[in-house]
Amino acid sequence: MFPSKPIDLLILNGVECEPYITSDDTLMRYFSKEIVQGAEILQHIVSAKVCIIGIEDNKPDAIKALKAATKDIANINVRVVPTKYPSGGEKQLIQLLTGLQVPSGGIPADLGIVMQNVGTAFAVKEAIIDGKPLTKRVVTITGETLKSPQNVWAKLGTPTQDLLDFAGHTPEKQQRIIMGGPMMGFSILDASTPVVKTTNCILAPSAKKLPPQGDEQACIRCGLCADACPAELLPQQLQWFAKAKDHDKLSEYNLFDCIECGACAYVCPSQIPLVQYYRTSKAEIREIEQEKIKSEKARVRFEQRQERLEREKQERLAKHKASAEKRAKALEKDTSAKDKIAAALARAKAKKQASSDESNDSVSKSNTTTSSDSTPATKPANAAKDKVAEAIARAKAKKAAKEQQESAEIQADKKAQPVEAETTSTESVSTAEQERKAKVAAAIARAKQKREEAKAASQEKTTEAETKTNEPEAKSSEPQAKIEPQIGSEPEEETPLTAEQIRKQKVAAAIAKAKAKKAKSE
Amino acid sequence: MSVFSSIFKSSPHGAMGMTTNQVMRMVCYATIPGFITQLYFYGWGTLVQLVLCIGVAVLSEAIVLSLREKRIRRTLSDGSAVLTGLLLALSIPPLAPWWVSVIGVAFAIIIVKQLYGGLGFNLFNPAMAGYVVLLISFPVAMTSWQPIQPMLMHTLSLADTAYVIFTGYSIEGYNLQQLSMLVDGTTMATPLDQFKTALAQQQTVSEILSLPIYGEYGGIGSQWVNAAYLLGGLFLLQRGIIRWHIPLGMIASLFVLTVIASATGADTTYPPVQQLFTGAVMFGAFFIATDPVSASTTPKGRIIFGALIGALIFMIRQWGGYPDGIAFAVLLANMCVPLIDHYTQPKVYGHKR
Amino acid sequence: MTAEWKDIVLNGLWTNNPALVQLLGLCPLLAVTNTFINALGLGIATLLVLVVSNLTISLVKQWVTKEIRIPVFIMIIASFVTIIQLLMNAYTFGLYVSLGIFIPLIVTNCAIIGRAEAFASKNGPVESSLDGLMMGIGFTAILLLLGGAREVLGQGTLFDGAHLLFGEWARGMTVQIFEFEQQFLLAILPPGAFIGMGLIIALKNIIDAKQAEKKVKDVKSVERARVTTVN
Ligand code: SF4
Ligand code: SF4
């Protein structure tokens, strides 16, 4: 990840993110030397020619301290910016200091700028010069319900309650505790919420000083929000579109350039929770996009799978043809056993059936774990019978799974329920025929098996038995072996199944199993 | 481990404190200087109209809200209905019959505001739409502003005024026409009307302006009324309730056009200052055109919106059939708002255009 | 057969009312409905043209090829309009004058050509005449409603100018409902027609919505009953 441009400028952000917070201020006042050292290290790393430290004009002490610390360093400047929320935002500070705007969707590095917080510079110094890991940070504990609001070094992981107790917190009715500032912080519900790396402030305001937003009223298009918006959006237009869920318009009005600073909602006389609307809409749009990507992926996967199935079918047909020809030749040579011809033909037929069952079997084994799991190890006595039934069941499960996948692609997830029902019903219609076929095949297989049982005792798979007893067949099992790995490769493609799909497959498999049982009992 | 309040709202966790209700109330207060001046010059009529209009406005809003099954109390408390009634009361001739005010206010609230969806959804300025309906429907009643009180033969007490408004006759049995009689027994039209008629009679502007109904800076009453509204408007500006864009755009364009017209054209235009202090220019600029709902919302758009109104007022006064055109101008400009807004969107941070 | 007829009747009068639903023929609708009698005059004229043109078109439809059907329809309609115009000129001259250009303009009334195209050219003469009659009545009803309302609101009278349509004896029919000092001009001027029309359409939508609601309720209760019997 290299920036598109060489970095010319390192900006240290000494502008407090939000009102109430003074943690950066404290850090700059007492640790200006360390911050400057950190800045030099950072400057070296990103090879920036100049470093600017931006500080708001309401922090004279911090300005003095840093000016003193950078007195002798030529390429680190301290710049004072007016105190106006949200100048502490990355993009806003860059504009304030350089007059440049970070392009929409871009990062400051596109302009050759890197911005770090003063806290980061301090942590860099600690880490590189002193070799200390980041285990604590300055946290502002403030609010009208505290006896002694202050800045403290808080170990990461300190519960909020401890900090509040430390500052002498007397909760009022319906006390709100906000982690972060009043504009962008979030209310916490649980006092054991720990301090983390990004916790710059714990705010325990009184309801009087920071009244919770009242009831939302109609937007009167007063435009105060637009005046306040640092991204120069039109919040009230966005609000209309957000309420109407007009996602195209939202994008057209650049919803995604909103930095959720809250300035608009703060000034809104109708007390509309504008930011909340934007967050909801952003989440909706993101979800829709993800859904699109997902369905696109599913489509590609489905197409690839179709292609592969088609290819395999062709290959199998070719193999069968070839082996049939070989057998015919071999039979021509071996004229001694005429009655064997009939048997071989029957076997070939059975084989065809069995092998196709077999291939499905292995596919479904890898595909749906439950269907194979739930069938216990079969006893040799009716092993073959069970296996055939199992194979049928699996084939059906497989088919159902495939249909499920298709429908999952076409239909939205929510609609899956009716679709599922539909699939099962169509299946039950179509399977009557299949079952009949499968039963015929099973009968043939069973007949064969009995005959082969006489010849060979150990039977684990129909195919194996055939490989042993029949020479031509043995040859034909070789291509099968070749097919197997291809089939085996399927799980890799199938693994990114969502939990949803797996669940559906399981359901389908269960249905198939039930049907198989029914078929068996018949 | 304690659990905090479950008021779990998205950030920001506070508000500036100025609510819509307060904004509306502030606008109402700012009309006080103008209102008092109107009382002084035009008698008690304005007060009666005020009570009547606000009452009807609140009542019709409540009726519609109950039909729409909305929360009546809360919506009424936003004060927008009161403001609409107030503004209309201030623009209606003080002695207009009661049913004129009732029809105007009911139309403004029910049709123009609530049928479009209530506060925030109306395309047109309700007060002005109501005014225009009245002007079209009852041109006579709506244009018969009385001359200012000091010049009148009969001045009315409060009770007498109410009597006139509700019955058409004063207690002594004078009708409106007789009540408008000047001290010398003649009648006189409003300054703007007079200007038009006099121009048609080939009088020059300076001749017309020397008539007794004209003061130094405009109509003898209306110059002070305008000044009072200017004062109220400046108060609103100072309080940050309205922004300067619309009033300035409107006054500037009206002024500039008048200067150009009087410098180049024939002798048919008001002198620029008189233009601004006659009729309802200041009232319109600070109280009507700045209605946020029906005005443009982008900064640039607001200037254009204001300038458009100013230009339209000039055109209507200069060439139109009606003596004053603030209401028409505002409504016409309201129609252009979506277009203006569309083409004046501010440049979003990080976008090059 | 009767069900189909019922459909035609219902369509013309309510569900597919040319003025309220199809919003056709609005130009005369809005222009001449300033009094009840004007509305009635134009309504009757339109009604007659609708019936006879629908009938004629359905009779000749098999000889009219698709390509030239519109000119043919217009010719037929225009002839009838001319007849009506001449008749009105002869018998109700006052009304003829007060309706003015809107009588010949009936030719271009989309409601008429619309029915010709959508119905008469596809159905038999009996149905077509019925359709024309019902559409005409539906149209006239709205004209009358709007005309009556505007007249009452605008000048406080009803049936003003009845003598123009019915002759001198009808002069006495005029009813003075209110006495205004000043007319409520908005109602008489075209904007009043638009607003009134909007309100009438809104009213119809309200009624439809209420009925739909009722239907849904009925269906629901029936369903619930069935569920209980199954279980
Ligand atoms: S500040 Fe609030 S009321 Fe004003 S335009 Fe913005 S969203 Fe609407
Ligand atoms: S939260 Fe509001 S003010 Fe802040 S960037 Fe977004 S729209 Fe603008």
Side-chain angles (χ1 to χ4, degrees):
Chain A
M1 291 273 277
F2 288 98
S4 49
K5 271 176 88 176
I7 303 298
D8 308 317
L9 178 63
L10 171 72
I11 298 180
L12 273 201
N13 186 345
V15 179
E16 217 63 74
C17 316
E18 298 183 40
Y20 273 99
I21 308 180
T22 50
S23 60
D24 286 351
D25 183 27
T26 315
L27 203 61
M28 287 188 288
R29 280 210 317 245
Y30 298 111
F31 300 96
S32 51
K33 286 253 159 50
E34 286 81 347
I35 290 172
V36 173
Q37 279 174 332
E40 282 177 315
I41 296 168
L42 282 170
Q43 207 179 345
H44 175 75
I45 293 172
V46 298
S47 60
K49 293 180 202 89
V50 188
C51 169
I52 297 179
I53 306 178
I55 311 180
E56 277 167 315
D57 57 7
N58 63 351
K59 301 183 177 61
D61 292 346
I63 296 169
K64 227 186 281 164
L66 275 174
K67 280 218 167 131
T70 56
K71 206 166 53 220
D72 307 325
I73 306 168
N75 54 2
I76 299 188
N77 303 313
V78 175
R79 285 268 298 274
V80 180
V81 299
T83 309
K84 181 174 181 275
Y85 181 78
S87 328
E90 184 178 69
K91 294 177 172 182
Q92 278 61 43
L93 188 59
I94 287 176
Q95 191 182 12
L96 261 177
L97 291 175
T98 65
L100 298 173
Q101 292 192 345
V102 181
S104 174
I107 53 169
D110 296 341
L111 299 171
I113 297 174
V114 164
M115 177 177 285
Q116 292 297 346
N117 203 311
V118 286
T120 315
F122 179 78
V124 164
K125 186 256 161 191
E126 291 257 282
I128 293 189
I129 297 184
D130 307 338
K132 280 192 211 157
L134 179 67
T135 56
K136 56 178 187 177
R137 67 157 297 144
V138 179
V139 177
T140 307
I141 321 171
T142 184
E144 292 76 23
T145 60
L146 300 178
K147 228 181 274 147
S148 50
Q150 56 191 302
N151 282 284
V152 296
W153 278 115
K155 290 245 162 64
L156 301 187
T158 314
T160 311
Q161 188 65 56
D162 289 2
L163 292 177
L164 289 174
D165 291 345
F166 182 70
H169 175 231
T170 30
E172 58 176 26
K173 224 170 88 190
Q174 297 225 308
Q175 175 67 53
R176 289 175 304 158
I177 301 293
I178 296 158
M179 187 173 271
M183 304 300 278
M184 294 174 76
F186 47 92
S187 345
I188 54 177
L189 292 178
D190 187 341
S192 59
T193 312
V195 168
V196 293
K197 273 188 294 186
T198 52
T199 308
N200 47 8
C201 180
I202 306 283
L203 182 59
S206 66
K208 217 192 278 160
K209 194 73 203 255
L210 205 64
Q213 268 196 336
D215 275 343
E216 175 180 351
Q217 282 173 307
C219 167
I220 53 168
R221 288 173 37 104
C222 64
L224 285 174
C225 47
D227 293 349
C229 179
E232 316 216 20
L233 298 165
L234 288 175
Q236 91 272 27
Q237 305 286 70
L238 288 173
Q239 174 238 160
W240 291 122
F241 300 137
K243 279 181 180 164
K245 299 205 185 302
D246 189 341
H247 294 148
D248 295 340
K249 276 275 187 226
L250 281 171
S251 309
E252 192 185 309
Y253 279 75
N254 305 306
L255 174 66
F256 279 91
D257 287 311
C258 167
I259 56 171
E260 299 182 12
C261 67
C264 50
Y266 181 74
V267 297
C268 176
S270 289
Q271 318 212 7
I272 303 170
L274 294 161
V275 181
Q276 202 169 318
Y277 282 117
Y278 305 151
R279 288 201 181 128
T280 317
S281 295
K282 280 184 184 174
E284 276 169 11
I285 295 178
R286 272 196 216 110
E287 197 177 325
I288 288 171
E289 260 158 26
Q290 237 141 47
E291 208 54 41
K292 253 190 225 154
I293 294 170
K294 228 200 277 176
S295 67
E296 179 61 25
K297 263 193 201 150
R299 193 183 60 80
V300 170
R301 208 189 311 136
F302 173 71
E303 275 170 5
Q304 282 172 347
R305 186 165 179 283
Q306 286 297 83
E307 209 177 283
R308 197 193 61 235
L309 287 180
E310 182 61 22
R311 203 177 55 230
E312 278 170 11
K313 200 170 140 202
Q314 295 301 340
E315 276 172 11
R316 234 181 356 251
L317 281 179
K319 296 269 158 58
H320 278 302
K321 223 181 186 178
S323 63
E325 272 167 16
K326 261 184 207 161
R327 252 195 326 267
K329 262 181 207 161
L331 281 174
E332 254 171 46
K333 279 178 201 162
D334 183 23
T335 46
S336 59
K338 263 187 185 173
D339 57 341
K340 267 187 186 168
I341 294 171
L345 277 177
R347 244 176 273 132
K349 226 189 263 164
K351 160 81 186 157
K352 207 170 168 187
Q353 183 69 39
S355 73
S356 69
D357 277 359
E358 188 64 31
S359 67
N360 281 339
D361 181 10
S362 46
V363 169
S364 62
K365 235 185 216 161
S366 54
N367 218 351
T368 62
T369 40
T370 31
S371 71
S372 49
D373 279 355
S374 57
T375 27
T378 46
K379 282 174 190 164
N382 43 14
K385 207 174 168 189
D386 277 1
K387 251 183 214 159
V388 172
E390 205 182 308
I392 295 164
R394 274 193 221 121
K396 248 180 249 159
K398 167 87 194 194
K399 196 182 154 232
K402 194 173 121 195
E403 277 180 28
Q404 280 302 328
Q405 224 171 338
E406 279 173 21
S407 61
E409 273 149 21
I410 299 159
Q411 310 266 353
D413 276 355
K414 284 169 207 152
K415 286 182 190 159
Q417 219 53 38
V419 171
E420 217 166 337
E422 211 176 273
T423 341
T424 38
S425 66
T426 50
E427 208 188 16
S428 62
V429 173
S430 66
T431 43
E433 205 189 8
Q434 287 176 341
E435 264 170 37
R436 197 170 44 72
K437 268 191 208 156
K439 263 187 215 158
V440 172
I444 295 168
R446 243 179 279 137
K448 218 195 308 167
Q449 233 181 349
K450 263 182 202 152
R451 206 154 20 113
E452 278 161 357
E453 249 171 318
K455 285 179 187 171
S458 72
Q459 288 181 340
E460 286 192 1
K461 280 184 184 175
T462 334
T463 20
E464 252 177 43
E466 272 177 16
T467 337
K468 277 178 193 162
T469 48
N470 203 304
E471 235 191 345
E473 298 281 7
K475 268 173 199 164
S476 77
S477 77
E478 184 195 313
Q480 231 185 11
K482 264 187 205 155
I483 297 170
E484 281 300 296
Q486 278 176 351
I487 296 165
S489 72
E490 194 169 313
E492 277 161 36
E493 288 173 47
E494 297 285 351
T495 30
L497 288 175
T498 58
E500 171 82 307
Q501 282 168 326
I502 289 173
R503 193 182 54 73
K504 267 185 223 149
Q505 282 177 353
K506 275 184 193 164
V507 170
I511 293 167
K513 239 183 286 154
K515 233 178 263 157
K517 254 183 215 155
K518 204 173 137 203
K520 230 178 6 182
S521 69
E522 276 170 31
Chain B
M1 187 176 116
S2 75
V3 170
F4 295 125
S5 151
S6 53
I7 311 174
F8 195 68
K9 280 207 167 172
S10 170
S11 62
H13 306 278
M16 196 178 54
M18 175 75 94
T19 63
T20 302
N21 310 2
Q22 285 164 326
V23 169
M24 297 285 174
R25 218 175 302 144
M26 222 41 119
V27 178
C28 292
Y29 295 154
T31 59
I32 290 176
F35 172 62
I36 292 176
T37 331
Q38 279 197 4
L39 278 189
Y40 174 74
F41 283 109
Y42 300 107
W44 293 109
T46 313
L47 181 62
V48 180
Q49 299 290 1
L50 193 84
V51 174
L52 182 64
C53 286
I54 292 180
V56 174
V58 171
L59 190 70
S60 18
E61 177 118 326
I63 291 171
V64 180
L65 286 175
S66 77
L67 282 179
R68 291 178 64 201
E69 295 169 5
K70 301 258 162 163
R71 290 159 66 180
I72 298 177
R73 248 309 165 67
R74 217 191 80 193
T75 313
L76 275 182
S77 75
D78 68 24
S80 58
V82 173
L83 185 59
T84 301
L86 173 72
L87 294 180
L88 203 51
L90 293 176
S91 16
I92 288 176
L95 291 184
W98 62 272
W99 42 266
V100 167
S101 325
V102 171
I103 291 176
V105 175
F107 189 90
I109 296 285
I110 296 174
I111 307 241
V112 183
K113 186 173 159 202
Q114 288 293 345
L115 281 194
Y116 281 89
L119 178 64
F121 297 89
N122 44 311
L123 304 178
F124 296 103
N125 185 320
M128 283 305 102
Y131 182 85
V132 162
V133 163
L134 295 179
L135 189 60
I136 293 178
S137 305
F138 315 110
V140 181
M142 286 301 287
T143 48
S144 50
W145 278 75
Q146 281 196 311
I148 60 168
Q149 297 274 310
M151 298 168 78
L152 284 178
M153 196 192 264
H154 315 275
T155 45
L156 296 170
S157 68
L158 179 57
D160 228 3
T161 310
Y163 214 76
V164 174
I165 290 173
F166 286 99
T167 64
Y169 296 94
S170 73
I171 295 173
E172 286 113 78
Y174 294 117
N175 67 13
L176 213 53
Q177 197 103 45
Q178 291 160 328
L179 286 173
S180 305
M181 209 93 80
L182 295 184
V183 187
D184 56 5
T186 59
T187 57
M188 191 155 269
T190 63
L192 282 164
D193 270 330
Q194 182 62 35
F195 194 83
K196 276 229 156 107
T197 17
L199 272 186
Q201 294 162 358
Q202 308 293 326
Q203 296 185 17
T204 65
V205 171
S206 49
E207 270 172 8
I208 303 170
L209 291 182
S210 61
L211 287 171
I213 49 166
Y214 293 99
E216 215 163 317
Y217 306 110
I220 194 164
S222 68
Q223 59 183 358
W224 295 114
V225 173
N226 269 301
Y229 281 122
L230 176 61
L231 197 71
L234 292 178
F235 164 75
L236 287 182
L237 269 182
Q238 186 260 326
R239 277 336 229 357
I241 293 185
I242 57 174
R243 250 62 51 78
W244 54 268
H245 307 76
I246 294 175
L248 189 77
M250 174 175 156
I251 293 173
S253 87
L254 182 57
F255 187 78
V256 168
L257 285 172
T258 314
V259 169
I260 294 172
S262 39
T264 59
D267 192 19
T268 55
T269 323
Y270 278 103
V273 179
Q274 265 88 337
Q275 179 83 292
L276 297 186
F277 283 86
T278 312
V281 174
M282 293 298 163
F283 181 63
F286 289 99
F287 293 88
I288 299 293
T290 52
D291 164 40
V293 177
S294 52
S296 175
T297 71
T298 60
K300 234 188 287 167
R302 288 207 196 99
I303 297 182
I304 297 174
F305 178 77
L308 182 63
I309 295 179
L312 285 167
I313 293 175
F314 173 78
M315 285 183 232
I316 294 170
R317 282 191 177 177
Q318 188 77 6
W319 299 300
Y322 286 94
D324 205 353
I326 290 176
F328 290 108
V330 169
L331 292 188
L332 288 171
N334 283 165
M335 285 187 224
C336 307
V337 162
L339 192 70
I340 297 175
D341 275 356
H342 183 81
Y343 283 107
T344 56
Q345 282 176 43
K347 186 180 150 298
V348 174
Y349 182 101
H351 284 261
K352 296 198 187 77
R353 214 178 272 163
Chain C
M1 205 59 188
T2 42
E4 193 188 318
W5 284 26
K6 206 177 136 200
D7 249 19
I8 294 174
V9 173
L10 219 65
N11 253 333
L13 296 185
W14 187 259
T15 43
N16 207 13
N17 187 301
L20 286 188
V21 181
Q22 309 176 48
L23 299 180
L24 293 178
L26 286 190
C27 166
L29 187 93
L30 297 173
V32 301
T33 53
N34 46 3
T35 68
F36 188 87
I37 294 300
N38 273 355
L40 184 61
L42 189 84
I44 292 175
T46 311
L47 172 71
L48 290 178
V49 175
L50 248 172
V51 176
V52 285
S53 67
N54 258 12
L55 175 65
T56 320
I57 285 163
S58 73
L59 285 174
V60 302
K61 63 173 185 285
Q62 56 265 55
W63 294 292
V64 181
T65 59
K66 205 164 169 270
E67 291 74 24
I68 55 155
R69 70 192 190 285
I70 298 290
V72 171
F73 293 169
I74 294 202
M75 286 290 285
I76 294 170
I77 296 167
S79 331
F80 287 118
V81 171
T82 312
I83 294 170
I84 299 271
Q85 188 186 2
L86 291 174
L87 284 173
M88 285 178 82
N89 196 347
Y91 295 105
T92 62
F93 186 71
L95 192 64
Y96 171 77
V97 171
S98 100
L99 288 179
I101 185 69
F102 290 101
I103 303 172
L105 274 183
I106 294 175
V107 179
T108 60
N109 188 328
C110 321
I112 298 174
I113 189 92
R115 285 334 281 174
E117 166 75 10
F119 197 93
S121 62
K122 292 172 192 141
N123 289 284
V126 184
E127 289 86 16
S128 294
S129 336
L130 183 68
D131 180 72
L133 184 68
M134 287 308 150
M135 287 287 162
I137 292 177
F139 188 72
T140 311
I142 302 305
L143 278 173
L144 293 183
L145 194 58
L146 201 55
R150 286 176 67 189
E151 189 181 341
V152 171
L153 286 178
Q155 51 192 42
T157 60
L158 203 53
F159 312 126
D160 184 29
H163 61 281
L164 298 178
L165 186 59
F166 302 115
E168 279 308 310
W169 62 268
R171 252 184 214 286
M173 263 175 75
T174 308
V175 189
Q176 189 79 37
I177 296 177
F178 303 110
E179 191 81 55
F180 288 157
E181 287 163 48
Q182 296 165 342
Q183 292 186 331
F184 184 31
L185 278 176
L186 180 74
I188 302 172
L189 293 173
F194 276 101
I195 295 170
M197 187 68 193
L199 292 176
I200 294 178
I201 293 175
L203 195 70
K204 176 185 184 287
N205 289 347
I206 291 175
I207 295 173
D208 280 351
K210 282 260 158 71
Q211 269 174 349
E213 220 171 86
K214 231 192 246 160
K215 235 178 227 165
V216 169
K217 261 187 207 151
D218 289 350
V219 170
K220 258 190 195 154
S221 58
V222 166
E223 258 178 9
R224 222 176 283 134
R226 202 168 50 207
V227 168
T228 44
T229 52
V230 166
N231 291 345

